Amino acid sequence: MQTVGDVNPSRRGRAPFYLATGGVACALALLPVAFLAPVYSGESGSSSGTVATTDTLVGVNGLWTIWLLCIPVFLALAAWTGLHFRCARGSGWGTRVAWSSVALLWVFALIGSASVGFFLIPTALLLVVAAARTPSAGASLQGS
């Protein structure tokens, strides 16, 4: 029978797992958004009047922007993998990879803040919370 202070070790990593997976999903979601979402707007004038126009990130900047958007996806996957190794094996290496990836993702969001960086904030926040809450496999259950 479990008492109030007991924590089931198999359940401790569920919330961080879902948070980290959500972070990866947010990063992946930017790829189709770059093709589909009208992020640029403008007006064009003609003899018949003014016409409002919209265009996508890829439509304005070209396909090379997808390669740039793959960087946060890679960083989110690296953080997810590092957190998995921390939770499953107590890996100090996994912890360092996860936090380094999250820090680089924040840097990428800051550098790209004038364009897509703003859309990376949910990914970065989810991964920060996941990294802070991910238990280590070798950690004691006392005080958890």
Side-chain angles (χ1 to χ4, degrees):
M1 181 170 129
Q2 269 188 327
T3 62
V4 174
D6 290 343
V7 176
N8 183 350
S10 67
R11 301 188 92 187
R12 286 179 24 191
R14 283 190 183 170
F17 170 78
Y18 293 133
L19 289 167
T21 302
V24 171
C26 284
L28 282 170
L30 289 178
L31 296 174
V33 166
F35 285 101
L36 302 173
V39 294
Y40 291 99
S41 63
E43 294 180 351
S44 63
S46 68
S47 60
S48 61
T50 304
V51 177
T53 60
T54 60
D55 209 348
T56 64
L57 185 68
V58 173
V60 170
N61 299 304
L63 280 174
W64 70 271
T65 56
I66 294 302
W67 290 108
L68 284 178
L69 290 176
C70 286
I71 295 170
V73 171
F74 171 77
L75 291 172
L77 285 170
W80 188 95
T81 303
L83 293 175
H84 170 71
F85 277 99
R86 175 183 174 169
C87 187
R89 298 185 182 152
S91 170
W93 170 86
T95 302
R96 288 187 296 279
V97 166
W99 281 110
S100 298
S101 298
V102 169
L104 288 172
L105 187 60
W106 277 106
V107 168
F108 192 84
L110 183 64
I111 290 171
S113 63
S115 60
V116 297
F118 178 76
F119 298 106
L120 293 173
I121 292 173
T123 298
L125 287 175
L126 286 168
L127 290 171
V128 164
V129 175
R133 294 189 62 190
T134 299
S136 182
S140 168
L141 294 178
Q142 299 298 327
S144 295

